[in-house]
Amino acid sequence: MKHLALALFCVFLLTLTTASAEVTAQITVFCNGGVVYDNAVTVTGSNPTAWDAIRASDVGYDYTDYGGWIFINSIAGCGGSWGPAFYVNGAESDVGVNSYYIEDGDHLQVLPC
């Protein structure tokens, strides 16, 4: 009986620690050779993405949702012929904004192409 109670308690603790997290990321948008937006945003939820951070910020954006794949047409009034490029901690991301799960302290950079 003690083992069952201990197992249930461990499951309860695991649920508390993974159900919701608070993650802060810095979002920087470059345009026309300068920074046009640079603010930190805090996102609360399970496995927040870069897209969640952008939506939680006060940066203006225009996007197209291709059935779960998000294409940012413009952000902070800037966009290029192929949309903005997305970088995480200085390296170009190999996934889109809705597929990158942010970690506390990440620096998200967006540059027009």
Side-chain angles (χ1 to χ4, degrees):
M1 188 67 161
K2 287 194 304 186
H3 290 88
L4 178 60
L6 180 60
L8 289 174
F9 180 71
C10 289
V11 169
F12 173 73
L13 286 179
L14 182 62
T15 303
L16 285 178
T17 59
T18 59
S20 183
E22 189 172 90
V23 180
T24 301
Q26 186 75 21
I27 300 174
T28 304
V29 179
F30 298 89
C31 186
N32 298 323
V35 174
V36 295
Y37 183 87
D38 190 28
N39 283 310
V41 62
T42 300
V43 182
T44 302
S46 179
N47 297 320
T49 65
W51 179 235
D52 294 326
I54 290 168
R55 291 185 310 155
S57 74
D58 61 350
V59 67
Y61 58 86
D62 177 57
Y63 72 99
T64 303
D65 185 342
Y66 291 100
W69 180 75
I70 301 297
F71 181 81
I72 297 175
N73 301 308
S74 66
I75 188 166
C78 298
S81 58
W82 293 98
F86 170 56
Y87 290 74
V88 178
N89 301 322
E92 189 168 10
S93 178
D94 57 352
V95 297
V97 293
N98 62 313
S99 296
Y100 179 77
Y101 297 100
I102 58 175
E103 296 180 12
D104 197 46
D106 274 349
H107 190 178
L108 313 174
Q109 299 110 354
V110 185
L111 296 92
C113 295

